[in-house]
Amino acid sequence: MILPIYIYGQPVLRKVAEDITPDYPDLKKLIEDMWETLAESDGIGLAAPQIGKAIRLSVIDLDVLSEDLPEYKGFRQVFINPHIIEYDESNTDSSEEGCLSLPAIHEKVVRPTRIHVEWDDEEFKHHDEWIEGYLARVMQHEFDHLDGKMFVDRISPLRKQLVKSKLAALIKGRYRCSYRTKPVRR
């Protein structure tokens, strides 16, 4: 089932999400719905808060970029209870980011190119790895959602001032996008 994407201003997007256990109700169905929602919205990542659930769950599909980034051919991964343990600040990169919860807003964000991450997969098998490159950026973006943060929190004060009116428009429900959304109720 395709779920609505929660838009900037929804309180759940600012909550710190909670870890879940294997007995979380209807987890497999929720993951299926997240994959379907992600595909419908043409995104590469989706975190549970973006569909209204304050739990530590995210899906990332980099296979859709494999024509330009062949190293990610077939990469589709579920991340349960992910936590970034350490950021390697010795090398950073500035790249443009967008977000399904912030339609039509794109800004350059500086992030470390290498991170140490722990998570469980769909079978609750534990992983503890250093991740680098584009996947590290996407993971940081998605896992920020699980900590109540969004990429606009990581842009310069000047850039944030410049997008302030766009953010206000989102809160007021003045935006267009091609996927189902759940705007802020006024």
Side-chain angles (χ1 to χ4, degrees):
M1 175 171 55
I2 297 167
L3 305 168
I5 305 285
Y6 281 54
I7 298 299
Y8 180 85
Q10 285 280 5
V12 71
L13 294 172
R14 293 304 190 176
K15 285 185 178 175
V16 175
E18 299 194 10
D19 283 351
I20 60 173
T21 58
D23 61 352
Y24 185 84
D26 299 317
L27 181 59
K28 293 251 185 256
K29 173 75 170 114
L30 177 60
I31 291 169
E32 286 173 24
D33 290 348
M34 287 179 71
W35 282 124
E36 194 174 339
T37 301
L38 181 63
E40 178 69 19
S41 58
D42 289 326
I44 59 171
L46 183 65
Q50 292 180 276
I51 55 159
K53 306 242 181 238
I55 59 172
R56 294 192 81 83
L57 172 62
S58 182
V59 296
I60 295 175
D61 179 0
L62 295 185
D63 183 62
V64 297
L65 303 175
S66 63
E67 194 171 294
D68 295 324
L69 300 169
E71 65 270 31
Y72 294 118
K73 180 86 176 134
F75 186 93
R76 283 174 46 97
Q77 178 70 53
V78 174
F79 296 90
I80 298 173
N81 303 330
H83 292 275
I84 297 175
I85 305 304
E86 188 178 348
Y87 295 87
D88 179 353
E89 302 280 353
S90 65
N91 194 19
T92 60
D93 175 55
S94 176
S95 287
E96 192 171 273
E97 292 186 19
C99 181
L100 297 174
S101 294
L102 295 154
I105 298 178
H106 297 85
E107 289 291 326
K108 285 196 174 250
V109 180
V110 176
R111 294 193 187 268
T113 59
R114 187 170 176 260
I115 55 173
H116 180 196
V117 186
E118 286 188 25
W119 77 92
D120 295 329
D121 63 24
E122 209 168 342
E123 306 304 321
F124 278 83
K125 180 180 175 216
H126 190 69
H127 299 262
D128 180 338
E129 297 178 30
W130 280 93
I131 306 291
E132 51 190 89
Y134 189 70
L135 177 58
R137 171 172 294 279
V138 175
M139 290 171 101
Q140 288 172 80
H141 177 107
E142 294 307 322
F143 302 166
D144 271 356
H145 282 296
L146 306 178
D147 292 325
K149 295 184 176 87
M150 301 181 86
F151 82 86
V152 291
D153 301 330
R154 299 196 179 277
I155 61 178
S156 73
L158 173 63
R159 292 303 311 165
K160 187 140 188 189
Q161 193 62 35
L162 292 171
V163 298
K164 192 175 185 178
S165 63
K166 290 181 182 179
L167 295 174
L170 291 177
I171 291 171
K172 292 176 182 167
R174 292 196 315 255
Y175 61 88
R176 286 190 188 154
C177 59
S178 61
Y179 45 88
R180 280 184 65 203
T181 63
K182 184 163 178 74
V184 177
R185 293 279 181 246
R186 299 204 127 249

